[in-house]
Amino acid sequence: MSVLVVRSVSKSFGSVPVLSNIDLDIDEGEIVSLLGPSGCGKSTLLRIIAGLEFADAGAVEIGARDVSRLPPGARNIAMVFQSLALYPHLTGRENIALPLRVRRMSRLQRILSPLRLSASVRTIEREIDDAVDDLAARLAIGEVIDRVPARLSGGQRQRVAIGRALVRDSRLLLLDEPLSSLDAKVRVQARDEIVQIQRSFGVSCVFVTHDQGEALAISDRVAVMLGGGIAQFGTPAEIYRNPASLDVARFVGSPTINCLEGIVDAQGRVHTGGFLFDTRLAEPVGRPVTVAVRPEHVRIGPAREQPGHMLRVVRVEDHGHDGLVHLALGDGGALSLVARSAQAVALRAGDEVPVSIAPEEALYFSPAGMPLGPEPVRIADYARG
Amino acid sequence: MVAPAALLLLLLILVPLALVTATAFTDWHLGGGAAAFVGLETFRELVDDPDFRTAVWNTTRYVAFVVPATTLAGLAAALLIVECRRGQAFYRMVYFLPSVATLAAMAVAWQMLLSPSVGAVPQLLRLVGVAPGNWLQDPETALPTLGLIGIWSEAGFAMLFFLAGLKTAPRELYEAAAIDGCGNFLDRLRHVTLPHLAPITAFVLVFSTIHALRVFDTVAIITRGGPEKATLVALYFIYQEAFSLFRTNLAAAATVLFIVVVLALSLLQLYVVRGGRGR
Amino acid sequence: MTARGSRFAGLGRHLVLGAGAVLMLLPLLWAVRISFLPAEDVFSPQFHLLPSRWIGFENYARALTASPLPRFLLNGVGVCLAIIVCQLLVAIPCAYVLAKARVRGQWLLWLAVLVGLVIPPAALALPLFIMAAQAGLIDTYAGLILPWTISPLGIFLLRQAFSRVPDEIIEAARLDGLGEWEILVRLLVPAVAPAIGALITISLVAHWNDLLWPSVVVTSASKATPPFGVMLFQVQEIGSDYGPLLAGAIMIAAPLLALFILTQRRFLDGMAWLGSK
């Protein structure tokens, strides 16, 4: 069942269009990332879902209810902000308790609650305290819950912010680059925690990020946003292996996918400067094609079936478990490739190495950037043919 | 949420401003009959008034004495205090104390301090064999004496602003200066500290000018404009014309001129602050 | 610079600063001395630094009983309290809107605040007096309080402070379901507490010490505030009795001085705000 449906939402600031015709559908218990470069409109979309901005056109439905015109407080959603937006003068406990107090007490009760006048307020206060303690224990911040944000570590602050979001049992949790304030090492740990927390609470999440590694690592599905529209919406595997356009292929994956310009021949094979991709594209002869190859698919050393092409090593980045090899053809750099290889360590700049690319591991795009369907050609088939 | 503020701004600032300006162009005085528009006549009358001329001259002399002295005293105190390893908080407190003390009450204390019969200063002078004057009663010395009290009560602000400025002086600048060979105090003062303080100095100058222009309490308590109008200053002139002599339109015209001067100084201040930030 | 040289420099600094400190405190110290002198010592041709006989707080008692000084002090407290409360109630919502909301015509309000900021309050005494006279507010507490219920400086300070609160905090509160007033009172007011402290400090000093307006609008001793009380003292018989007169002056200055000494760090930070605008 859909928790969130975004229907043809458009938004512009003045005369600048920011979002055009966005459709999105998020299922119960799913983590969906909105992934895109800065300025792609992902944060605006999140703010429209939250009700902090209103769309010019289109609708937002949460739990099958049209909330397009409701104020943020009435949408039953929770949000973790980029800066976390913890109330600086309230303790962790008070931060988490505040949304509950708003829901459970009248305005007058909230103002007078420190006085503990009536029995009912005392009961509510006790229940809220229990709920916060319970949540704090599950988030492993029970020890530090009575500190103000300034006296918490980055990770603890993040958990308090998530606690404040989760405490009200919202069906939808919005996260606006919540990891961007953490340093690299804590970041990976924190993102795993978010997934764990999300799984154990079973809440649906929309997660905005510009970090494609982060998006692929934590999401059930990723919406890649480019230029104010959703370029592709699919599982991380689909996005990575079958990108819907050359732009998506380029944006996702690190280091960036290698691109080679080529021409289709009579058999549907693609000739690039130096490489022949023995595939069968259903394209007319002479048509230009962009061949995109992930670095891990650029093989160093002769493949069994192919002799490999001799390229010169320009630079080696040793990452420990493997490495990146920057390669070039000839001196002018008519062709340059990046390969991810476990043998990187053994290479030196200036070495000449044979390089091969399996045609079925490459992606083919039209000049307009649309994917061209290669008939899957197995190496075995090719050897036979 | 802004309705009360908007209403009060209108009622308590804009309307009075319009009212005083309008009055300045009429022959109206409080308790008098209907007002008639007289154009610049009131201003002409004002400029011809010997008391007004005296007040302008006295105010100018007062400002010209008090402002540079306040600024220099504040700067000197701040430069000395910021170098102290101990006692910074104490000096800051003592030097600012006069700015907090009710000036009307302190005026009485100053009177006692300088009084020829019971004052500390005259008694001290007598001890060293100098005959003390009756400074507050002598037309020659009354205004400078009030100026001293003014410096005493305003220097705290100058010191505070300079101290705040010195605290923001980038440490790296001093380290760079030390590496470049600007080792001693005077070198650092001239090449690092004073250039850094330039915008603050400009601000302090304008701030103390506006404050000095508003001198009133000491005049009202100690000298009442005397002796022989030697301490008749702008605000006290307006006060007398408006509330003792009830020449309302004249007081209004003087008020308008007063506001124009302060406004010009404020614009100057804005310009200076902007310039300081632009650098 | 040698260690010895810097030690001498430090000593010299403290000598100069110490002398300056004595000068700054001299009027106050002299007033304290006279306030403890018996009447016969004041004009005695023989100079005694210390009183010839210990009269304790007799002069203070006389200042409190022979004049309406307690009344002045009480009036001062009441008037300052009322002014500050009004200023805060008016300035906080206004500053919040100016800092965080987008309202039509906002610039006009801001312009009015800036105009109010540069007009010296003393310059408006005349028109305000005329208006107070028309409204029948002469010699009333309302006449003392009402003209100062708006503080352009306060609105300015608070607007700057509110602008520094991140928008995300306000958005988080809206998501949490808080109303605008509740956001303001529960979240933003505590966040700008230092600015509010500065406003209270500046206002308190300005209005406790104000002499001009009370001397304009008040005619009877029963409504006088402390500085105006000093003016009244001088024309009364106590004015020629220096001991009680200075005891009175000290008691008038004492509340602010005590507050200043007790909270000096915050007090001075508040005052330094004036410079940082």
Side-chain angles (χ1 to χ4, degrees), chain B residues 35-120:
Chain B
F37 178 78
V38 297
L40 289 173
E41 185 52 43
T42 315
F43 288 94
R44 206 166 299 137
E45 195 185 329
L46 186 67
V47 173
D48 288 338
D49 190 298
D51 279 5
F52 176 74
R53 291 171 172 213
T54 310
V56 170
W57 174 234
N58 285 342
T59 310
T60 313
R61 285 198 301 155
Y62 182 86
V63 169
F65 172 46
V66 168
V67 171
T70 304
T71 310
L72 281 178
L75 179 62
L79 284 173
L80 287 172
I81 290 174
V82 83
E83 294 279 326
C84 285
R85 243 164 297 162
R86 308 180 61 177
Q88 275 203 15
F90 171 77
Y91 288 127
R92 216 165 65 129
M93 184 187 83
V94 169
Y95 282 70
F96 196 74
L97 205 82
S99 306
V100 178
T102 308
L103 190 54
M106 287 304 107
V108 177
W110 269 96
Q111 257 179 313
M112 291 302 121
L113 191 69
L114 300 176
S115 142
S117 52
V118 300

Side-chain angles (χ1 to χ4, degrees), chain B residues 26-248:
Chain B
T26 65
D27 64 355
W28 189 74
H29 55 92
L30 198 64
F37 178 78
V38 297
L40 289 173
E41 185 52 43
T42 315
F43 288 94
R44 206 166 299 137
E45 195 185 329
L46 186 67
V47 173
D48 288 338
D49 190 298
D51 279 5
F52 176 74
R53 291 171 172 213
T54 310
V56 170
W57 174 234
N58 285 342
T59 310
T60 313
R61 285 198 301 155
Y62 182 86
V63 169
F65 172 46
V66 168
V67 171
T70 304
T71 310
L72 281 178
L75 179 62
L79 284 173
L80 287 172
I81 290 174
V82 83
E83 294 279 326
C84 285
R85 243 164 297 162
R86 308 180 61 177
Q88 275 203 15
F90 171 77
Y91 288 127
R92 216 165 65 129
M93 184 187 83
V94 169
Y95 282 70
F96 196 74
L97 205 82
S99 306
V100 178
T102 308
L103 190 54
M106 287 304 107
V108 177
W110 269 96
Q111 257 179 313
M112 291 302 121
L113 191 69
L114 300 176
S115 142
S117 52
V118 300
V121 179
Q123 310 226 21
L124 272 174
L125 285 180
R126 257 184 233 118
L127 274 182
V128 296
V130 179
N134 193 351
W135 299 293
L136 285 167
Q137 300 305 323
D138 182 341
E140 287 293 310
T141 51
L143 192 67
T145 309
L146 291 191
L148 277 178
I149 304 178
I151 297 164
W152 172 79
S153 85
E154 292 290 337
F157 274 102
M159 172 215 62
L160 196 63
F161 296 152
F162 279 124
L163 264 183
L166 285 170
K167 291 271 159 71
T168 66
R171 181 171 290 274
E172 283 168 22
L173 228 53
Y174 286 99
E175 286 164 359
I179 288 168
D180 292 345
C182 285
N184 69 45
F185 175 76
L186 283 178
D187 275 348
R188 273 176 302 166
L189 185 68
R190 184 165 138 25
H191 294 291
V192 184
T193 311
L194 289 185
H196 174 76
L197 288 182
I200 296 161
T201 311
F203 168 79
V204 170
L205 281 173
V206 179
F207 182 91
S208 20
T209 307
I210 292 176
H211 270 240
L213 279 174
R214 305 204 304 223
V215 57
F216 176 80
D217 293 15
T218 45
V219 177
I221 296 284
I222 303 177
T223 61
R224 295 168 185 258
E228 295 165 30
K229 311 217 158 133
T231 60
L232 184 64
V233 292
L235 267 191
Y236 198 74
F237 171 80
I238 294 173
Y239 176 80
Q240 274 194 327
E241 295 295 322
F243 307 113
S244 316
L245 308 171
F246 292 103
R247 298 202 287 179
T248 313

Side-chain angles (χ1 to χ4, degrees), chain A residues 319-338:
Chain A
H319 290 180
H321 52 93
D322 61 5
L324 295 180
V325 186
H326 296 257
L327 301 155
L329 178 65
D331 294 327
L335 175 77
S336 64
L337 285 175
V338 177

